Amino acid sequence: VQLQASGGGLVQAGGSLRLSCAASGRILSINIMGWYRQAPGKQREVVALIASGGSTNYADSVKGRFAISRDNAENTVYLQMNSLEPEDTAVYYCYCAARQGILTTPRDYWGQGTLVTVSS
């Protein structure tokens, strides 16, 4: 399973960005899709996750500002980021837990990361 993310870039504080990530390859089903981020000198942290049924989970720091969504038919997840703050600057990694076959258990897959820089 390969994850291809796009949409990062440089934005001023208060601005918006939309990240996209498409999963491809041999995929039977994808349970969880989402985004993690890692700021310089910090550990990777969860930003937002979405289950196949649509239930979501957000980090407290992004609640009310970020919105995650997915297109199950296209195996794609999106992250709409509004009211961006300099503290949101990080490399954002796409994530999914996917099964490749009926007899296999879900495995974790990661994208290559896309840089989001928020200037003050």
Side-chain angles (χ1 to χ4, degrees):
V1 176
Q2 296 80 42
L3 295 172
Q4 183 65 47
S6 62
L10 173 64
V11 65
Q12 288 188 332
S16 298
L17 281 175
R18 188 183 192 223
L19 305 182
S20 301
C21 177
S24 62
R26 188 162 66 93
I27 299 171
L28 175 64
S29 62
I30 300 178
N31 182 16
I32 303 292
M33 299 190 81
W35 298 90
Y36 285 70
R37 68 185 180 187
Q38 187 167 18
K42 295 187 177 182
Q43 290 186 331
R44 189 175 297 189
E45 61 177 4
V46 63
V47 177
L49 300 172
I50 183 167
S52 56
S55 59
T56 58
N57 195 344
Y58 294 92
D60 288 342
S61 60
V62 307
K63 283 181 181 177
R65 300 188 297 122
F66 292 9
I68 190 170
S69 60
R70 66 188 279 178
D71 183 333
N72 289 331
E74 299 294 329
N75 290 330
T76 300
V77 63
Y78 305 96
L79 185 68
Q80 178 66 42
M81 303 184 293
N82 300 324
S83 301
L84 282 161
E85 304 168 352
E87 293 73 22
D88 296 316
T89 295
V91 176
Y92 284 69
Y93 295 92
C94 178
Y95 160 84
C96 79
R99 294 178 66 192
Q100 291 190 294
I102 295 175
L103 299 180
T104 62
T105 57
R107 289 182 56 189
D108 295 339
Y109 297 91
W110 296 91
Q112 82 283 8
T114 183
L115 178 62
V116 172
T117 303
V118 184
S119 63
S120 56

